[in-house]
Amino acid sequence: MDILSGEEALLAASDLVFKKMRVDSRFSKFWAFADFPEFEVHVRRFLKGAFGGAEWPELRVTDDVIANYDGLADALVDALDRPLALGTDVMSEAFNLLTTDMSDDERVLFFLERIEEIATAHADIAVTESNEATSQRASETAEDPDVVEAEESAIREAMQNSIVATEALAQDINVLAFEELLLPEAQINAAQDGWRLFLSTSSSQEMAGEAIYSALFEGAPSLQALFTTPRAVQAMRFLTCFSSFVEALSDPARLHTFVDTIGLRHLHLDVTIPRVVIFRDAILDLFSVELGEKFSQQAMDGWKTLLNYVGGAIIFVKTNYSERITLIFTSWKTANAKSTKESGSEEQGSGPKGKGSGDKTSRFKNMVVIRYKKTDNRASESDQVGQEHAQDGDDKTLAGGVPTTYPEMFAFNSAVMGFNDKKWMKEVLDCFHNIVTNVSNSARLQEECDVLALRISRVAKGSVNFADYKSCMLATLRAILPKDWSTSHEVAWSWLWENVERVLMKTMGKPPKWQDSLTKFYASLTEETKFEMRADIYARFFVGAPAGQDYFKQSNTYLHIIADKIMEMTLEIYATPVQMVDEISALGLRHVGYGIPTELFGPFVSACVEMLNTCTKDECVIDAFRWSLGLVSQMLTRTIQEGSTIVMKAITTNNSKLLRKAIS
């Protein structure tokens, strides 16, 4: 294990404690209903006491850190024998006692003192080695003190710049470069065979995804805080990603593209080398347990290299692509600021007779509207001729009325480039601002791309060539930012759209099929079956999240109405995505007033998906339901989080003091 400090050391130590307890027979009966994320929080809070709540110093986190585990476990057993509050997580509450009522227990103090001793010993060794090295350099360069100072400065700078790289190389994780992964053919075949064997051990894809999810978050609960997506949805995402990776092992360029997209999705997460190691080891342990001797050493090496590659690439993308993202933000802001400024000047310059520049711009806008407007088949021939004359007349005004906003310039360029018949480009244009401004927020970017895929599926006829939008987009940005545009801008914006395109392509073509399957499935249900499905949702939800009962105190009739509405939304979002986005946003704001914790959405979605799995074996129906419900849940969660302002919180808690403070 590498030398760690701060949160990374605390994280690694908490995982060691958790793994030890998971195999301790004294606690096995308590894990069935344990809240792992909450328990992990209490473990970390307890371990912080090792240094009086201060940040952990540098130390080597190995099993020696928890050498006094037996005493700690005995203390926890005593804590479990004490009366605990009803309705709480037993393990979490018991561990919390170790930091409160039992903080003076000798066994607890002995455990924490051992950690302090290891840190002190490591510090002493480091000081000794540093002094010896300094003395040696001083003796070698005693005649020239400037050399000593220069060397020490260079060493400090090198250590600062390469600490991450050193830790990564120790784990065979490359964070300094992101190149194509070339594996021996034997390792590729073994890794792919191992993956197929793992899938064959599960009764369904859902069970395989659930096995991966459980292995990750039960073996390393500290990782669960990074993934807020509902369990049923996240489990399938893991499965899909792993399948894409292992299938692309024989095509390095394709694998590089997949991993690049994954890196973009993880920009908002704090991915570190220790977390990559924890993730990698959890997956390898899962394969070893499930496959046994069938998981060969070649397969082990192949998967280890693959997971190291993905983890290192995610860290590399976050570190090195930040400049691209900054360039995208600044250039987009400049373009919009310029548009706003020029729009304001046009309003001031337009006189009552319409002879100012505003009049020319308005004529250009009319031309744009006409170009995008669909010709009514029922219109008279004279009307169509009139429209053509209007277009010709407005074309002549271009010399005096140049478009200044991105939408106007894009409309003009698309008309010139012959893209007027591509209605899907208008859908992209409507969503483009949200996509650009959320490029560093992978969860929101995924949400915007999912909604865009639904919108495109409603208007696109035949195949969609996203390269057309890219060419028109770049032409538009070059025209709006002629002085600022550079090769770096070209690379950054091309990179953005290529990643967006890859995200869209994962969903393109599926929504119509999903909608048809879900429609037929709902139509086949009897009222009795629907009633049983609704009841099953709440039964599963209240078992998985007992706290949810405090927020569903309505009558059974009303609860069934809520469940019915949820099922309707999973279908309506395919049919009317634009309208549903507005309705879901409004619903989310109402939930802010209700004070609903967003942590409950994940268990509720999982309960719904589990219920559906018992009602049908049609993979298309299950995928359609899971995908749309996951999207609805994600939108609701985001709306609640964004709407939970200090004013809304004061209103929800009915606290006049907080309200006055919020509006002051």
Short mmCIF file of all heavy atoms in Angstrom, two decimals, residues 229-230 233 237 570 605 609 624-635:
data_model
loop_
_atom_site.label_atom_id
_atom_site.label_comp_id
_atom_site.label_asym_id
_atom_site.label_seq_id
_atom_site.Cartn_x
_atom_site.Cartn_y
_atom_site.Cartn_z
N THR A 229 -27.12 7.69 -8.55
CA THR A 229 -28.16 7.12 -9.40
C THR A 229 -28.83 5.95 -8.69
O THR A 229 -28.16 5.22 -7.94
CB THR A 229 -27.54 6.63 -10.72
OG1 THR A 229 -26.80 7.70 -11.31
CG2 THR A 229 -28.60 6.17 -11.70
N PRO A 230 -30.14 5.75 -8.87
CA PRO A 230 -30.82 4.60 -8.25
C PRO A 230 -30.09 3.29 -8.51
O PRO A 230 -29.53 3.08 -9.59
CB PRO A 230 -32.20 4.62 -8.91
CG PRO A 230 -32.43 6.06 -9.24
CD PRO A 230 -31.09 6.60 -9.61
N VAL A 233 -30.75 1.25 -11.71
CA VAL A 233 -30.25 1.92 -12.91
C VAL A 233 -28.73 1.87 -12.96
O VAL A 233 -28.13 1.56 -14.00
CB VAL A 233 -30.74 3.38 -12.96
CG1 VAL A 233 -30.18 4.10 -14.18
CG2 VAL A 233 -32.26 3.43 -12.97
N ARG A 237 -25.90 0.24 -15.62
CA ARG A 237 -24.86 1.09 -16.24
C ARG A 237 -23.49 0.44 -16.09
O ARG A 237 -22.67 0.47 -17.01
CB ARG A 237 -24.87 2.47 -15.60
CG ARG A 237 -26.03 3.35 -16.04
CD ARG A 237 -25.91 4.76 -15.49
NE ARG A 237 -27.03 5.59 -15.91
CZ ARG A 237 -27.20 6.85 -15.53
NH1 ARG A 237 -26.31 7.42 -14.71
NH2 ARG A 237 -28.23 7.55 -15.95
N THR A 570 -43.61 7.45 -17.10
CA THR A 570 -42.59 6.67 -17.80
C THR A 570 -42.92 6.49 -19.27
O THR A 570 -42.02 6.27 -20.09
CB THR A 570 -42.42 5.29 -17.15
OG1 THR A 570 -43.66 4.57 -17.23
CG2 THR A 570 -41.99 5.41 -15.71
N VAL A 605 -37.05 4.08 -7.03
CA VAL A 605 -36.86 3.62 -8.41
C VAL A 605 -36.48 2.15 -8.43
O VAL A 605 -37.00 1.37 -9.25
CB VAL A 605 -35.79 4.47 -9.12
CG1 VAL A 605 -35.43 3.87 -10.47
CG2 VAL A 605 -36.27 5.90 -9.30
N VAL A 609 -38.47 -0.94 -10.36
CA VAL A 609 -37.84 -1.81 -11.35
C VAL A 609 -37.90 -3.27 -10.89
O VAL A 609 -38.17 -4.17 -11.69
CB VAL A 609 -36.38 -1.38 -11.60
CG1 VAL A 609 -35.69 -2.35 -12.55
CG2 VAL A 609 -36.34 0.03 -12.17
N ALA A 624 -37.03 -0.16 -21.24
CA ALA A 624 -37.78 1.08 -21.47
C ALA A 624 -38.23 1.69 -20.14
O ALA A 624 -38.11 2.90 -19.93
CB ALA A 624 -38.99 0.79 -22.35
N PHE A 625 -38.74 0.86 -19.26
CA PHE A 625 -39.23 1.33 -17.97
C PHE A 625 -38.08 1.85 -17.11
O PHE A 625 -38.16 2.93 -16.51
CB PHE A 625 -39.95 0.19 -17.25
CG PHE A 625 -40.59 0.58 -15.95
CD1 PHE A 625 -41.80 1.24 -15.92
CD2 PHE A 625 -39.96 0.28 -14.75
CE1 PHE A 625 -42.39 1.60 -14.71
CE2 PHE A 625 -40.53 0.64 -13.53
CZ PHE A 625 -41.75 1.30 -13.51
N ARG A 626 -36.99 1.08 -17.05
CA ARG A 626 -35.85 1.48 -16.23
C ARG A 626 -35.25 2.79 -16.72
O ARG A 626 -34.94 3.68 -15.93
CB ARG A 626 -34.78 0.39 -16.25
CG ARG A 626 -33.56 0.73 -15.39
CD ARG A 626 -32.37 -0.16 -15.66
NE ARG A 626 -32.65 -1.56 -15.39
CZ ARG A 626 -32.74 -2.50 -16.33
NH1 ARG A 626 -32.58 -2.17 -17.61
NH2 ARG A 626 -32.98 -3.74 -16.02
N TRP A 627 -35.09 2.91 -18.03
CA TRP A 627 -34.46 4.11 -18.59
C TRP A 627 -35.30 5.35 -18.35
O TRP A 627 -34.79 6.38 -17.89
CB TRP A 627 -34.22 3.91 -20.09
CG TRP A 627 -33.41 5.00 -20.72
CD1 TRP A 627 -32.05 5.07 -20.80
CD2 TRP A 627 -33.91 6.17 -21.37
NE1 TRP A 627 -31.67 6.22 -21.45
CE2 TRP A 627 -32.79 6.92 -21.81
CE3 TRP A 627 -35.18 6.66 -21.62
CZ2 TRP A 627 -32.92 8.12 -22.49
CZ3 TRP A 627 -35.31 7.87 -22.29
CH2 TRP A 627 -34.20 8.59 -22.72
N SER A 628 -36.58 5.28 -18.66
CA SER A 628 -37.43 6.47 -18.52
C SER A 628 -37.64 6.84 -17.07
O SER A 628 -37.61 8.03 -16.70
CB SER A 628 -38.78 6.25 -19.22
OG SER A 628 -39.46 5.15 -18.66
N LEU A 629 -37.82 5.84 -16.20
CA LEU A 629 -38.01 6.14 -14.78
C LEU A 629 -36.72 6.70 -14.18
O LEU A 629 -36.77 7.61 -13.34
CB LEU A 629 -38.43 4.88 -14.03
CG LEU A 629 -38.77 5.06 -12.54
CD1 LEU A 629 -39.89 6.07 -12.37
CD2 LEU A 629 -39.15 3.73 -11.91
N GLY A 630 -35.58 6.19 -14.62
CA GLY A 630 -34.31 6.74 -14.15
C GLY A 630 -34.13 8.19 -14.56
O GLY A 630 -33.64 9.01 -13.78
N LEU A 631 -34.55 8.52 -15.78
CA LEU A 631 -34.46 9.90 -16.26
C LEU A 631 -35.39 10.81 -15.47
O LEU A 631 -35.00 11.92 -15.07
CB LEU A 631 -34.79 9.95 -17.75
CG LEU A 631 -34.79 11.34 -18.41
CD1 LEU A 631 -33.44 12.03 -18.23
CD2 LEU A 631 -35.16 11.24 -19.88
N VAL A 632 -36.61 10.36 -15.24
CA VAL A 632 -37.56 11.16 -14.45
C VAL A 632 -37.02 11.39 -13.05
O VAL A 632 -37.07 12.51 -12.51
CB VAL A 632 -38.93 10.45 -14.39
CG1 VAL A 632 -39.84 11.14 -13.38
CG2 VAL A 632 -39.58 10.42 -15.76
N SER A 633 -36.47 10.34 -12.44
CA SER A 633 -35.91 10.46 -11.09
C SER A 633 -34.74 11.43 -11.06
O SER A 633 -34.62 12.25 -10.14
CB SER A 633 -35.46 9.08 -10.61
OG SER A 633 -34.72 9.17 -9.42
N GLN A 634 -33.89 11.36 -12.07
CA GLN A 634 -32.73 12.25 -12.13
C GLN A 634 -33.17 13.71 -12.25
O GLN A 634 -32.61 14.60 -11.60
CB GLN A 634 -31.85 11.86 -13.31
CG GLN A 634 -30.55 12.65 -13.41
CD GLN A 634 -29.67 12.14 -14.54
OE1 GLN A 634 -29.87 11.04 -15.06
NE2 GLN A 634 -28.72 12.94 -14.95
N MET A 635 -34.17 13.96 -13.07
CA MET A 635 -34.67 15.33 -13.25
C MET A 635 -35.32 15.85 -11.97
O MET A 635 -35.13 17.01 -11.60
CB MET A 635 -35.65 15.36 -14.42
CG MET A 635 -35.01 15.06 -15.77
SD MET A 635 -36.22 14.79 -17.09
CE MET A 635 -36.94 16.40 -17.21
#
